[in-house]
Amino acid sequence: MRQTDHMRADPSELLELAVEVAQAAGSLLLDKRPAQLGVADTKSSPTDVVTEMDRASESLITSALRAARPDDAVLGEEGTVQTGRTGVRWLVDPIDGTVNYLYDIPAWSVSIAAEQDGAVVAGVVHVPRLGETFTATRGGGARRDGDLIRVNPPVGLEQALVATGFGYDSARRAGQAEVIRGLLPTVRDIRRVGSCAIDLCWVACGRVDAYFERGPQPWDLAAGTLIATEAGATVAGLHGRPASTELTIAAPSGLFEQLHDLLAAAGADRD
Ligand code: IPD
Ligand code: CA
């Protein structure tokens, strides 16, 4: 059988599994967080931390996905790379917002997306400390706890509440500071929530008007991008490029173009 001859999975069934697994990971992260949680390791820089709970969450998620669908591929932030033969690949962020989790700030999430033949078709962002679960299937709309959500109507940039985030690398942050220097005087305000997946869901439900960031990886972006898109946001990079690690912008059409042009002029896709 050729690689593309497999049966396509039902996105609703993939989502049901993703929600069940994300909520189980959320319970683990709430119930088993040690009072004195320490840093287990660092990754790209000394501030890019991993806790024992990131690893425990990824282990729970990948074991549960493997038990339910043993032939799927899995890519996880903390190192899981499993190949598959069904055309389905899971993108797993076991804690998005690890620094918030470390400091016990409630804005952290579990993000799980399912790709079918390279396109994200289902995604969940579960926010345990806020008791909220954001979901979407491609073409099926975006929901919070089962209720459909929509982006805000577009506003002018000067009225926009814009979420963003910063990388862990100090040189990249210097460039990001320059972008913020140009943006901050022109918008209502900015928010640095600390979880890219939550930022995208907050665009989706109208808690912020827009989001942009350079640096997030596929496991940070996948589920939230589908949720924001299904809620009516345009989610893309600069000059028609797809949203990616290079730059992701999410906003309703009308606001997207204004933010896009400002970020393009500022070189927000470069370090
Ligand atoms: C980070 C968060 C943060 C974003 C960083 C990400 P992590 O993910 O999403 O909001 O600004 O770019 O790396 O490290 O907490 O999983
Ligand atoms: Ca992450």
Side-chain angles (χ1 to χ4, degrees):
M1 195 197 260
R2 290 197 324 262
Q3 186 64 31
T4 50
D5 285 344
H6 44 249
M7 294 263 295
R8 291 176 69 82
D10 178 347
S12 307
E13 287 176 14
L14 297 175
L15 181 63
E16 197 178 326
L17 173 61
V19 169
E20 184 187 314
V21 173
Q23 290 181 341
S27 298
L28 172 87
L29 291 164
L30 287 175
D31 296 346
K32 304 286 184 206
R33 183 183 181 281
Q36 299 300 321
L37 178 64
V39 171
D41 205 352
T42 59
K43 295 187 283 187
S44 61
S45 85
T47 50
D48 185 2
V49 297
V50 186
T51 71
E52 60 183 277
M53 297 306 292
D54 292 76
R55 291 174 175 160
S57 175
E58 182 153 317
S59 169
L60 180 155
I61 294 167
T62 54
S63 301
L65 293 175
R66 199 168 299 158
R69 296 184 53 93
D71 296 328
D72 291 352
V74 185
L75 177 67
E77 171 162 21
E78 307 311 338
T80 304
V81 184
Q82 188 185 318
T83 54
R85 52 195 178 86
T86 61
V88 172
R89 181 174 74 148
W90 297 91
L91 295 164
V92 174
D93 194 340
I95 305 179
D96 188 48
T98 296
V99 175
N100 283 347
Y101 185 77
L102 184 65
Y103 281 76
D104 202 19
I105 295 170
W108 52 270
S109 60
V110 177
S111 173
I112 304 178
E115 283 177 349
Q116 173 79 61
D117 302 320
V120 178
V121 294
V124 57
V125 175
H126 176 51
V127 192
R129 283 285 305 276
L130 302 181
E132 292 184 324
T133 305
F134 295 88
T135 56
T137 52
R138 183 163 299 275
R143 292 165 197 274
R144 178 180 56 217
D145 302 330
D147 296 330
L148 282 169
I149 51 175
R150 290 298 293 173
V151 292
N152 287 338
V155 290
L157 203 50
E158 70 287 352
Q159 293 295 318
L161 185 59
V162 180
T164 190
F166 308 115
Y168 291 113
D169 176 69
S170 162
R172 171 162 294 174
R173 283 187 178 179
Q176 290 175 320
E178 285 305 310
V179 174
I180 295 297
R181 184 207 288 267
L183 182 72
L184 188 53
T186 71
V187 293
R188 181 191 291 277
D189 207 343
I190 64 164
R191 292 289 179 270
R192 198 296 191 243
V193 172
S195 160
C196 152
I198 293 178
D199 290 323
L200 286 160
C201 292
W202 283 13
V203 172
C205 71
R207 285 190 189 143
V208 295
D209 295 300
Y211 162 73
F212 75 95
E213 186 169 350
R214 170 168 169 73
Q217 300 291 325
W219 46 77
D220 299 308
L221 294 168
T225 294
L226 180 66
I227 291 163
T229 304
E230 286 294 324
T234 301
V235 187
L238 290 183
H239 311 300
R241 291 196 284 273
S244 73
T245 297
E246 184 179 77
L247 187 69
T248 293
I249 310 169
S253 171
L255 175 57
F256 178 92
E257 292 74 12
Q258 299 171 60
L259 186 57
H260 170 281
D261 292 353
L262 187 146
L263 294 173
D269 59 338
R270 299 190 299 270
D271 288 332

